[in-house]
Amino acid sequence: MPAPALRLLTGVLLSAFSLAAAPHASAQTAAAASVQPRNDYADGKTWLCRPGRQDACAVNEDATVVHTDGSTKLEPFKAAEDPRVDCFYVYPTVSRDPTPNSDMNAGPEELQVIKQQFARFASVCRPYAPLYRQVTLTALTATMLGKPMQADRALGYNDVKDAWDYYLAHDNKGRGVVLIGHSQGSGVLIELVKHEVDGKPVQKQILSVITAGARLQVPVGKGVGGDFKSIPLCKTFGQTGCAINFASFRASSPPPANTRFGLSSGPSLEAACVNPAALAGGSGRLHAYLPSGTEAIVAADAQKARPWTTPPTAITTPFVEVPGLLSAECAKNEHGTYLSISINAETGKRTNEISGDVVVGGSVLKDWGLHLIDMNLAMGNLISDVRAQAKTYLGAGK
C-alpha cells in the first residue's frame, strides 16, 4: 500500500492496531517500565467527562428517526437528572498529536469520539471519561510505514489505572459502575479488569464490562475463563457482573484471512462475541444511532454518508435512527468470531444502505469490518442493557 494511502487509513481509523490487537499482557507486563510522571486525576482538566459539568459529555445527542416510508421524527436527547449508577469509559485511538504518546490536552478528535461513543450513556448513568496518554495515530502511522516510533505502551494503562483508582477513592462511594471501552480503549480496559477488578472486592459493584472492537478471549464454547477468570459473558437481559464483547462485520463481508478482529490468541481459546441486541444468542434488531452525515464518524476521510431517503431529506441532528433496518447475530467462520450485521432491505423511501466501512483509494478494507461504527450500531441496545442491569443491581438493594 503506498504511503499516502497509509496516512489516509490511519487518519480515519479508531485503530485496534496497538493494545486492542496485540496480546493484552503487554500493557501490564510493561507497566513498571514507564518512567513518566503520573497524572493528578484530582485536577478536573484530566477528565473529558465528569458528572455535573459542562464538558465533552454535555453535547447535542439529538437524533432523527427515519421510517421506511421516508417520514421523520425528532428524538430529543435528555441526560438523566440523578442516575444512581456510573459509567467509566476509555476511548479508542484517535489522537493526532505528533508524539508517540498523546499529551493531556483534549483535541477535537477526543471530543468527537466522546460524542459518538459515550455521551449518550448519560441517559442512564453518571459519566466518567479520563484523558490518558494513549499511543497516537502518529505512532501507528510510523509503524505501518516501517519507521516505528518509541511509544510508551505502559503509559496509557498507568493513566487509566490512576484515573480508576481516583474514581474509586473519591467518587464511587459504593455505587454500581459499568466499564466501557472501544478498540485501544478496550484493550486497556481488559487489562485493568484482569488485574484490578476480576476476583477483587470491587467486582461486586460491576454491572457490566463492555469491550467493543477488541479481542476478549474465552475457552471455546464457554462463557467464562480466558482473559477474565470469574466474570462471565452476559447471557440474559438484566444480568449483572458480566461482560459484553463484539467486533462488527457485514454479513455480506465476514472476516477475511487477514482480519484484525475476532481472532483466537491460542489453542482452545476464541474471541468472545455477545450480541447486545440478543444477549441470550440468536438474531436481534439493532437500535443504532448512526452519524447523520452532518459531521464525520472520526474524520472526513471515512466512507461518505449516503442520503437517508429518496428524494433526500434534510437531516439537522447529529444522529439518525433507522428502525428495523439492521439486525445482528454472533457468527463464526474459519478466520474468527464476529458480530454479523445484516441489512433488512425494505421497499420504501428510506435507504437500505449504511456507511461505516474503512475505505482507502475507493476500496473497502474488509479486514477492518465495521470497526468505525461498532458502538454506533449497538448504542441503543447497549443503553437498554445497562438500564436493565441498573434496575437489577438497585433492586437487589446494592
Side-chain angles (χ1 to χ4, degrees), residues 189-209:
L189 193 59
I190 289 169
E191 277 300 297
L192 183 77
V193 172
K194 284 169 62 176
H195 296 280
E196 304 298 327
V197 175
D198 196 1
K200 303 293 177 66
V202 72
Q203 183 178 339
K204 66 180 183 298
Q205 294 171 234
I206 302 299
L207 274 68
S208 60
V209 180

Side-chain angles (χ1 to χ4, degrees), residues 275-278 282-286 326-330 339-342:
N275 183 359
S283 180
R285 290 294 176 98
L286 288 172
L326 303 171
S327 59
E329 184 172 10
C330 286
L339 188 65
S340 177
I341 308 299
S342 296

Side-chain angles (χ1 to χ4, degrees), residues 95-164:
S95 175
R96 296 175 181 270
D97 291 348
T99 49
N101 288 85
S102 63
D103 60 26
M104 288 295 290
N105 299 309
E109 56 270 32
E110 285 92 353
L111 301 178
Q112 176 68 341
V113 78
I114 288 285
K115 184 170 186 174
Q116 292 293 327
Q117 294 193 348
F118 185 58
R120 190 171 297 278
F121 280 94
S123 62
V124 291
C125 54
R126 297 194 309 182
Y128 291 87
L131 277 162
Y132 72 105
R133 290 169 288 186
Q134 66 173 208
V135 177
T136 61
L137 288 168
T138 304
L140 302 183
T141 302
T143 297
M144 295 172 77
L145 292 173
K147 300 177 181 179
M149 301 171 73
Q150 194 64 36
D152 185 346
R153 292 177 178 271
L155 187 58
Y157 174 82
N158 287 340
D159 285 349
V160 173
K161 180 183 180 301
D162 287 346
W164 173 247

Side-chain angles (χ1 to χ4, degrees), residues 34-99:
S34 180
V35 295
Q36 297 295 323
R38 309 297 275 255
N39 288 324
D40 179 10
Y41 284 96
D43 184 348
K45 294 179 182 179
T46 60
W47 295 85
L48 284 162
C49 297
R50 286 182 60 85
R53 304 193 316 184
Q54 291 298 308
D55 57 22
C57 280
V59 291
N60 180 12
E61 291 284 304
D62 291 350
T64 298
V65 182
V66 181
H67 297 287
T68 305
D69 63 3
S71 62
T72 61
K73 179 182 178 181
L74 175 66
E75 181 187 275
F77 174 78
K78 184 178 181 181
E81 293 185 2
D82 186 24
R84 296 173 61 192
V85 298
D86 297 340
C87 289
F88 185 96
Y89 167 72
V90 188
Y91 53 89
T93 314
V94 292
S95 175
R96 296 175 181 270
D97 291 348
T99 49

